[in-house]
Amino acid sequence: MTLIAEIKFQEQHQQLTVIPRERSKNILAYLHKHYAEKVTINDSATAVNISPKECIRSFKKNIHQTPIEYLLNYQVEQAKKILRHSELSITDIALRAGFSTSYFSKIFKERVGMTLREYRQRQG
């Protein structure tokens, strides 16, 4: 392979790896901005102008989880911050984190290993 061909090959390879990373960064930015809303894979994909399948594939390749898995974890982390720094009701916290109350309680316990009230008491 000539030097010029090698350089072109490396540039193409670099573009192939940079584009998915950029997409993942853009999806992350979208999820962080809209986490309190009802977000779907279609919403995330549309925000970065790709198909839902490519959105999942690209994100999982770079972040090692699906956008929805990431979103749930991010929402729980946001809720934990609110629990630590406010006296808002569980319902208000659930809504601010983008959940319905019963689903939020279930997801929180699954991911944190304790109920919302237990978490708040241990932090206080």
Side-chain angles (χ1 to χ4, degrees), residues 43-91:
D43 297 332
S44 300
T46 299
V48 295
N49 298 316
I50 57 176
S51 72
K53 189 173 182 176
E54 177 60 20
C55 178
I56 294 168
R57 188 198 68 73
S58 179
F59 195 85
K60 194 166 186 173
K61 180 179 180 183
N62 290 289
I63 309 298
H64 308 293
Q65 54 187 317
T66 67
I68 297 304
E69 290 168 339
Y70 178 87
L71 178 62
L72 287 173
N73 289 329
Y74 186 77
Q75 288 170 311
V76 167
E77 288 305 311
Q78 296 309 304
K80 286 166 65 177
K81 287 179 190 174
I82 297 169
L83 280 165
R84 285 192 302 265
H85 302 292
S86 80
E87 294 299 320
L88 291 172
S89 71
I90 300 301
T91 300

Side-chain angles (χ1 to χ4, degrees), residues 102-123:
S102 59
Y103 184 63
F104 177 52
S105 297
K106 178 183 180 229
I107 292 295
F108 192 91
K109 180 149 182 155
E110 282 176 7
R111 295 183 186 255
V112 178
M114 62 184 84
T115 67
L116 292 149
R117 292 192 200 300
E118 290 170 336
Y119 184 84
R120 181 175 259 168
Q121 288 171 350
R122 290 186 185 182
Q123 300 304 307

Side-chain angles (χ1 to χ4, degrees), residues 11-58:
E11 287 174 352
Q12 288 173 342
H13 179 70
Q14 186 177 16
Q15 284 180 331
L16 291 174
T17 57
V18 169
I19 290 171
R21 268 187 269 144
E22 285 300 314
R23 283 182 182 158
S24 295
K25 283 173 43 179
N26 292 338
I27 295 166
L28 279 171
Y30 179 83
L31 294 174
H32 288 183
K33 184 175 181 181
H34 298 279
Y35 75 92
E37 304 165 19
K38 183 173 171 57
V39 176
T40 67
I41 290 295
N42 286 341
D43 297 332
S44 300
T46 299
V48 295
N49 298 316
I50 57 176
S51 72
K53 189 173 182 176
E54 177 60 20
C55 178
I56 294 168
R57 188 198 68 73
S58 179

